[in-house]
Amino acid sequence: MLINDAFAQAANSAAQTADPTLMSFLPMVGILVIFYFLLIRPQTKRAKEQKEMQAGLQKGDEIVISGGELGRVVSAGDSYITMEIADGVEIVVLKSSVQTLLPKGTLKSVETGKSNRMLKNNKQKSGEPRQEEQKNKETENSEAEPAAGSTNPDNEKN
């Protein structure tokens, strides 16, 4: 008699827990709302801004493409643009590869290693050797010619 009562109670409690209620779905709904506001909405907003920027490209804009090249837009079509990356050097790229629209005048203010090399080459061409080369030559000469009267163990073996 006690055993039957125990089964009846267990069956009754199992039936109550199997009923889905609104409270059991509430945590899942909360997670979806958090994902929407923290992940999905900002991503779609950023994608929309990127498409508007790419559609609004025009001649003279300074841009950075996905490969990291900086340049100025020479001409813009529906899906391709021609970009000047140096004087007389133009490349054709997809509009979708444009990552950033730079403010006007940025390309002139960007420091590159090219300007430093050009300055060094101009000094060298004008007859002024670079200071680093002079130091290297001095150290090579001092190592190549040991002081008179000193014995070098390598020379004694030969």
Side-chain angles (χ1 to χ4, degrees):
M1 193 187 283
L2 296 175
I3 296 174
N4 291 337
D5 292 336
F7 282 135
Q9 289 176 358
N12 190 13
S13 65
Q16 288 177 354
T17 58
D19 264 349
T21 61
L22 183 63
M23 294 303 286
S24 64
F25 288 116
L26 194 59
M28 191 177 301
V29 171
I31 290 173
L32 289 175
V33 169
I34 290 171
F35 268 96
Y36 175 76
F37 281 109
L38 293 179
L39 297 174
I40 299 168
R41 187 170 173 246
Q43 243 179 358
T44 54
K45 200 174 189 180
R46 173 77 174 124
K48 182 180 176 184
E49 290 172 0
Q50 186 80 6
K51 284 183 182 181
E52 288 174 1
M53 183 267 301
Q54 290 170 351
L57 288 175
Q58 54 188 337
K59 184 178 177 179
D61 286 342
E62 296 176 357
I63 57 172
V64 178
I65 61 174
S66 59
E69 292 87 4
L70 283 78
R72 184 172 287 113
V73 176
V74 176
S75 65
D78 291 335
S79 58
Y80 293 97
I81 60 169
T82 303
M83 183 174 94
E84 182 181 32
I85 55 175
D87 293 333
V89 180
E90 295 179 353
I91 58 174
V92 177
V93 296
L94 282 169
K95 269 190 175 180
S96 60
S97 69
V98 175
Q99 294 296 313
T100 309
L101 181 63
L102 301 171
K104 299 282 184 184
T106 304
L107 292 178
K108 291 181 182 177
S109 66
V110 172
E111 290 186 29
T112 62
K114 183 178 179 182
S115 62
N116 294 334
R117 282 185 277 163
M118 289 178 65
L119 290 174
K120 289 178 183 178
N121 288 338
N122 289 340
K123 284 182 183 177
Q124 194 173 20
K125 288 179 184 177
S126 65
E128 299 175 11
R130 291 189 280 186
Q131 292 175 356
E132 299 153 342
E133 289 179 8
Q134 286 178 345
K135 289 178 184 177
N136 289 340
K137 287 179 183 178
E138 290 172 4
T139 56
E140 288 174 2
N141 289 339
S142 64
E143 291 174 359
E145 300 173 15
S150 67
T151 58
N152 191 349
D154 294 334
N155 289 341
E156 290 177 3
K157 290 178 184 176
N158 291 336

